[in-house]
Amino acid sequence: MKKSLVCGVILQVGLLLAFPGVTESQKESQERFTIKGVVSVSRKPLRSGLVVISQNGQEIDKYVTGDDGKYYIANLSYGIYDISVRKSYKTEMCRCQVNLERNTVMDIKLKSTSSHKIKHNKAIECPVVIS
């Protein structure tokens, strides 16, 4: 009986070495997520707004909102991202951060365009709803 138990353990170890499983960190780095939502200003959709997502100071992707204010960015890996919203390519309205661990819906609700402009590179937190 001991001999069969030892053989079974050796077989399991051999299989693990020959076919290693995926570690949790490998799984996280392989998974891809989406982030989507609606950008609104004074409860109205932000048309042709630019949503830019970056990580560690490097731009990853950007999306121009439609007439309905919706944006959708796909193929993102696990991690912390900075999201900025611009009314035009030059005027940044707000900036926020999200820890992406799953597919995320993030609505960004601004009160007015003039009060959310970033001046002198000072970040303004985006009022967001994450679900």
Side-chain angles (χ1 to χ4, degrees), residues 92 95 117-124:
E92 189 173 40
R95 197 177 317 151
K117 290 181 183 175
I118 293 179
K119 298 177 182 176
H120 310 294
N121 291 328
K122 290 184 178 177
I124 295 174

Side-chain angles (χ1 to χ4, degrees), residues 1 15 24 27 31 36-37 48 52 55 73 76 82-83 89-92 98 108 111 123 125-126:
M1 185 104 112
L15 287 173
E24 197 62 36
K27 183 179 175 186
E31 287 185 74
K36 65 181 181 176
S48 301
V52 179
Q55 191 174 45
I73 300 173
L76 298 169
D82 293 310
I83 296 176
Y89 284 90
K90 296 180 181 178
T91 308
E92 189 173 40
V98 63
I108 302 170
K111 290 183 181 177
E125 290 293 320
C126 297

Side-chain angles (χ1 to χ4, degrees), residues 23-80:
T23 66
E24 197 62 36
S25 62
Q26 288 171 327
K27 183 179 175 186
E28 288 172 353
S29 68
Q30 292 173 354
E31 287 185 74
R32 294 294 185 210
F33 304 106
T34 60
I35 186 164
K36 65 181 181 176
V38 176
V39 181
S40 60
V41 179
S42 300
R43 298 183 185 188
K44 295 179 184 173
L46 177 64
R47 294 179 178 176
S48 301
L50 184 65
V51 178
V52 179
I53 189 160
S54 57
Q55 191 174 45
N56 299 323
Q58 182 177 357
E59 185 178 298
I60 303 295
D61 205 351
K62 57 188 165 196
Y63 192 92
V64 177
T65 61
D67 290 343
D68 55 5
K70 290 183 179 179
Y71 71 95
Y72 179 90
I73 300 173
N75 202 27
L76 298 169
S77 60
Y78 173 88
I80 297 173

